[in-house]
């Protein structure tokens, strides 16, 4: 039975004081070594390799005098191995031509190659070649989010591209090309789609699809901000009406049925980020939604094809003071190694990013301030966010892409900034986070209009790399070159009774140092899709005592005494004991 979270309402001044005071105190405490004494925070080393790898992508979203909200929200990126050669490729969703003014009801077109979505194929030497035209992925309209999943279980990654006005599903033909099957599949949708996620909500072995939508919005000429030159601003989402998500059930044979109402997930929201995990270990995948300036959603899967929205009762709907915030990016992973998925939700400056610790009884504790995350994020605005173990010490750290949504923010609030550097926060023993950005490479000194983020081991060296998009600007490939002697393991699943990708499976690894847990998923972050291989840092351990996989089918499979520092592919054993 879920317990209702009761919050004391305090003043904003009290919260600010607590955040700053406790943030510094806990950050100092985090330097305590588990072996006694103190420990200097270990920085990362991330290097901008974009040009060297021959990635040349610029997101297109021209600014207008009308300040249409669509033009500032950006697009995402995906890491996937679309040709199964063992090397990650990169797909970028791109915008479209926005004119000044736009006609109401119009969809910004891709009337030129600079507006195309882009697919980059990784060559054997580690560089990339633009494969967009050959693959047939230039796209149409204004594209936003991207989700990767093998919906037909043929062993090849398919692509869903969300967009404003229309979405597109591309079937991977297995020969380096894709076919647009949107109309036949029935997933074109409507409205302003943002993030999307593949998952098997009824555990029938076929991937279903959830699509977040932002709000009821069109190219209306609505003036927000002061009526002075240079003061017009993007309108706050409060003036627009919410809209519900779309949920597509995979009926097989390449066709989907939209079942949001039947499934109980048609609650109107202002949805920007989506993440998937089985937060209560009942064997059914749940949906966490980041909502902009309204309570977050947590849809608990009841296991009968329907969901119950439980965010308020579970303590994940609001911040620690009981207030809503501008939820944008989201991730849903176990950061404190207790086996239960936790959550992070990014938002705008003056709000602090939300860190929610799963208490294991269907509830979450708001841990932003106690973890030190509040102090380091109070004056920043976050978008794409992912838990990742950058130094392979066995604890999932946080990387967050930052930038304000308002390009005029510095006029009225000069202490805030439109362009921002990203954040790298190191996890200390699952209790606190410490900002190590300044020591982790020159890229953390740059100011970007960051939006999307995908993570994965691009060069297969056992360290997790990053791809970041910006709004109306370039993308960056950040290679992880953190010096470390720590060991690692990356696991790729191949479902048999479960969906081919193993999406939704929970993987636990146990070493002499303890236990770690991860959910197999490509979702999370903001409008982006990450490598589905699960990565574990192992610290000084050279072997894994046991690997336990709970497949979506309910099958439980265990491997024992596995060597570290390897890529391991595990095929579902239907003979395993449930």
């Amino acid at each position: 039975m879920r317990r209702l979270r009761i919050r004391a309402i305090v003043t904003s001044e009290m919260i600010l004081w607590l955040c700053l005071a406790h943030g510094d105190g806990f950050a100092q405490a985090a330097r305590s070594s588990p072996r006694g004494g103190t420990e200097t925070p270990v920085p990362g080393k991330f290097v901008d390799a974009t040009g060297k790898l021959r990635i040349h992508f610029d997101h297109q979203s021209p600014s207008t005098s009308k300040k249409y909200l669509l033009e500032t929200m950006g697009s995402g990126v995906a890491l996937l191995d679309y040709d199964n050669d063992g090397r990650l490729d990169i797909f970028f969703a791109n915008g479209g031509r926005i004119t000044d003014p736009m006609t109401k009801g119009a969809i910004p077109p891709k009337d030129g190659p600079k507006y195309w979505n882009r697919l980059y194929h990784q060559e054997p030497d580690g560089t990339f070649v633009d494969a967009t035209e050959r693959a047939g992925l230039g796209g149409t309209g204004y594209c936003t989010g991207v989700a990767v999943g093998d919906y037909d279980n043929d062993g090849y990654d398919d692509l869903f591209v969300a967009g404003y006005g229309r979405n597109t599903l591309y079937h991977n033909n297995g020969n380096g090309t894709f076919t647009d099957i949107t109309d036949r599949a029935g997933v074109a949708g409507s409205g302003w789609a943002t993030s999307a996620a593949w998952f098997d909500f009824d555990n029938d072995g076929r991937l279903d699809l959830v699509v977040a939508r932002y709000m009821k919005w069109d190219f209306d000429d609505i003036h927000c901000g002061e009526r002075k030159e240079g003061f017009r601003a993007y309108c706050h989402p409060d003036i627009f009406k919410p809209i519900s998500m779309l949920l597509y059930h995979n009926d097989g044979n390449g066709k989907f049925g939209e079942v949001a109402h039947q499934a109980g997930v048609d609650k109107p929201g202002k949805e920007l980020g989506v993440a998937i995990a089985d937060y209560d270990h009942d064997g059914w995948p749940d949906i966490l939604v980041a909502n902009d300036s309204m309570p977050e959603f947590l849809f608990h899967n009841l296991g009968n094809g329907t969901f119950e929205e439980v965010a308020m009762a579970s303590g994940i709907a609001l911040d620690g003071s009981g207030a809503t915030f501008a939820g944008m990016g989201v991730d849903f992973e176990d950061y404190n190694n207790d086996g239960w998925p936790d959550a992070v939700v990014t938002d705008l400056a003056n709000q602090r990013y939300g860190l929610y610790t799963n208490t294991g009884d269907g509830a979450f504790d708001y841990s932003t301030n106690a973890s030190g995350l509040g102090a380091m994020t109070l004056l920043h605005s976050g978008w794409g966010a992912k838990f990742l173990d950058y130094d392979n010490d066995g604890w999932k750290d946080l990387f967050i892409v930052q930038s304000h949504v308002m390009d005029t923010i510095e006029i009225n609030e000069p202490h805030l900034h439109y362009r921002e550097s990203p954040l790298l926060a190191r996890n200390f023993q699952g209790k606190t986070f410490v900002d190590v950005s300044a020591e982790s490479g020159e890229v953390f000194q740059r100011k970007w209009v960051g939006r999307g983020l995908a993570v994965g081991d691009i060069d297969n060296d056992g360290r997790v790399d990053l791809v970041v998009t910006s709004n109306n600007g370039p993308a960056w490939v950040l290679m992880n070159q953190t010096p470390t002697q720590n060991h690692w393991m990356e696991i790729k699943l191949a479902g048999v009774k479960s969906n081919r990708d193993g999406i939704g499976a929970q993987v636990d690894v146990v070493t002499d140092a303890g236990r770690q847990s991860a959910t197999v998923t490509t979702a999370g972050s903001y409008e982006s899709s990450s490598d589905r291989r699960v990565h574990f840092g192992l610290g000084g351990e050279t072997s894994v005592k046991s690997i336990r996989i709970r497949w979506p089918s309910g099958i439980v499979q265990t491997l024992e005494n596995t060597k570290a520092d390897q890529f391991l592919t595990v095929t579902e054993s239907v003979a395993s004991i449930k």
Side-chain angles (χ1 to χ4, degrees):
M1 181 177 180
R2 291 178 187 81
R3 66 188 189 210
L4 183 65
R5 315 301 291 174
I6 306 297
R7 293 183 176 85
I9 307 299
V10 297
T11 67
S12 59
E13 289 80 7
M14 290 171 65
I15 288 291
L16 176 59
W17 181 84
L18 287 168
C19 178
L20 294 175
H22 284 271
D24 289 342
F26 279 105
Q28 182 64 38
R31 290 170 170 80
S32 298
S33 168
R35 298 178 180 85
T38 58
E39 176 183 5
T40 301
V42 177
K45 182 181 180 182
F46 286 88
V47 176
D48 178 5
T50 316
K52 179 181 178 181
L53 298 181
R54 300 193 296 181
I55 300 291
H56 306 286
F57 175 78
D58 280 284
H59 177 258
Q60 301 297 316
S61 184
S63 300
T64 70
S65 66
K66 302 297 183 183
K67 292 289 184 179
Y68 296 121
L69 189 56
L70 180 65
E71 68 192 51
T72 191
M73 301 302 289
S75 295
V77 56
L79 280 169
L80 73 162
D81 180 7
Y82 76 91
D83 59 349
N84 291 341
D85 64 358
R87 297 182 293 270
L88 289 178
D89 312 300
I90 306 175
F91 175 86
F92 294 101
N94 203 352
R97 181 173 58 83
I98 299 178
T99 57
D100 197 350
M102 285 289 288
T103 302
K104 186 174 180 179
I107 298 177
K110 294 188 185 300
D111 55 355
K114 74 175 183 178
Y115 296 107
W116 289 356
N117 303 326
R118 291 287 170 178
L119 176 68
Y120 287 90
H121 178 262
Q122 185 176 173
E123 301 293 292
D125 65 357
T127 63
F128 290 80
V129 171
D130 190 330
T132 307
E133 284 192 87
R134 179 179 185 276
L137 290 176
T140 58
Y142 194 102
C143 298
T144 51
V146 56
V148 176
D150 180 6
Y151 76 85
D152 59 351
N153 292 329
D154 67 353
Y156 289 92
D157 286 334
D158 306 300
L159 276 171
F160 178 83
V161 182
Y164 174 73
R166 178 181 172 82
N167 307 314
T168 307
L169 177 59
Y170 293 99
H171 175 257
N172 188 333
N173 300 319
N175 60 1
T177 69
F178 291 77
T179 299
D180 179 349
I181 64 160
T182 308
D183 292 335
R184 182 168 70 88
V187 295
S190 62
W192 181 349
T194 52
S195 297
W198 291 102
F199 74 130
D200 184 2
F201 77 82
D202 56 354
N203 289 344
D204 66 354
R206 296 187 298 264
L207 287 177
D208 310 301
L209 180 68
V210 60
V211 182
R213 294 189 292 179
Y214 191 18
M215 59 180 62
K216 294 181 179 180
W217 183 91
D218 205 339
F219 285 103
D220 295 296
D221 188 359
I222 304 174
H223 193 288
C224 296
E226 296 184 54
R227 292 186 177 273
K228 297 192 300 185
E229 183 68 28
F231 278 74
R232 184 167 181 171
Y234 296 111
C235 292
H236 194 279
D238 282 353
I239 74 170
F240 303 103
K241 293 181 179 180
I243 191 170
S244 65
M245 301 188 304
L246 300 171
L247 179 64
Y248 293 102
H249 179 263
N250 187 339
D251 297 331
N253 300 316
K255 296 184 178 181
F256 294 77
E258 206 287 303
V259 297
H261 178 67
Q262 300 94 305
V265 298
D266 59 339
K267 183 175 182 178
K270 296 178 181 179
E271 308 124 13
L272 290 176
V274 176
I276 304 296
D278 179 7
Y279 77 93
D280 59 349
H281 290 179
D282 65 355
W284 301 95
D286 310 300
I287 309 170
L288 178 62
V289 179
N291 276 321
D292 190 354
S293 301
M294 61 176 290
E296 316 310 300
F297 290 160
L298 177 60
F299 289 100
H300 176 243
N301 191 333
L302 300 179
N304 60 2
T306 69
F307 294 78
E308 179 187 10
E309 205 288 296
V310 297
M312 195 68 72
S314 297
I316 203 168
L318 306 168
D319 69 11
S321 64
T324 60
F325 53 88
M328 298 188 293
V330 62
D331 204 19
F332 208 3
E333 286 286 357
D334 175 19
Y335 80 86
N336 59 357
N337 291 348
D338 65 356
W340 298 90
D342 311 297
V344 64
V345 183
T346 59
D347 53 29
L348 289 179
N350 296 327
Q351 295 179 334
R352 299 169 301 276
Y353 306 159
L355 182 68
Y356 298 89
T357 304
N358 192 330
T359 58
D361 59 357
F364 294 81
D365 283 335
Y366 183 76
S367 303
T368 292
N369 297 328
S371 68
L373 194 63
M376 73 180 76
T377 65
L378 179 63
L379 300 181
H380 301 284
S381 303
W383 298 79
K386 291 294 288 184
F387 289 110
L388 73 161
D389 185 357
Y390 72 85
D391 58 352
N392 288 340
D393 69 345
W395 298 94
K396 295 181 183 68
D397 312 296
L398 264 174
F399 183 90
I400 299 175
V401 178
Q402 301 187 129
S403 165
H404 208 279
V405 68
M406 299 286 189
D407 59 359
T408 56
I409 189 64
E410 291 166 47
I411 295 176
N412 296 316
E413 299 187 67
H415 63 292
L416 304 180
H417 302 285
Y418 177 52
R419 297 177 180 271
E420 292 195 64
S421 302
L423 169 69
L424 182 64
R426 187 171 190 255
N427 181 349
F428 278 82
Q429 304 294 313
K431 296 181 177 62
T432 58
F433 287 88
V434 172
D435 185 350
V436 296
S437 309
E439 300 81 31
S440 296
E442 182 267 340
V443 297
F444 293 93
Q445 310 306 317
R446 302 183 190 179
K447 308 296 182 183
W448 300 338
V449 187
R451 293 294 185 263
L453 166 68
V455 306
D457 188 354
I458 294 174
D459 55 358
N460 290 334
D461 68 347
R463 293 173 291 191
V464 179
D465 309 299
L466 316 166
V467 184
V468 176
T469 66
S470 66
N471 187 63
N472 199 33
W476 293 272
V477 180
L478 307 181
M479 301 303 292
N480 185 350
Q481 297 181 4
T482 303
T484 179
Q485 299 299 313
N486 289 332
H487 300 281
W488 54 273
M489 177 175 287
E490 296 190 29
I491 302 173
K492 181 179 180 180
L493 299 189
V496 177
K497 186 176 181 181
S498 302
N499 67 85
R500 175 76 178 182
D501 287 346
I503 286 177
Q506 179 171 314
V507 182
D508 298 320
V509 300
V510 177
T511 68
D512 287 335
R515 170 188 175 185
Q516 297 180 57
S517 176
T519 299
V520 178
T521 181
T522 60
S525 188
Y526 173 76
E527 296 189 338
S528 298
S529 188
S530 293
D531 184 4
R532 68 180 173 91
R533 296 178 296 184
V534 289
H535 170 272
F536 293 99
L538 301 176
E541 304 299 319
T542 58
S543 67
V544 174
K545 295 173 67 174
S546 72
I547 302 171
R548 182 183 184 273
I549 303 165
R550 191 185 195 282
W551 295 86
S553 64
I555 289 172
V556 175
Q557 189 170 350
T558 303
L559 291 76
E560 297 181 350
N561 300 321
T562 307
K563 291 178 61 177
D565 303 325
Q566 66 165 311
F567 295 91
L568 185 66
T569 297
V570 181
T571 300
E572 184 177 16
S573 173
V574 296
S576 297
I577 300 174
K578 292 187 179 181

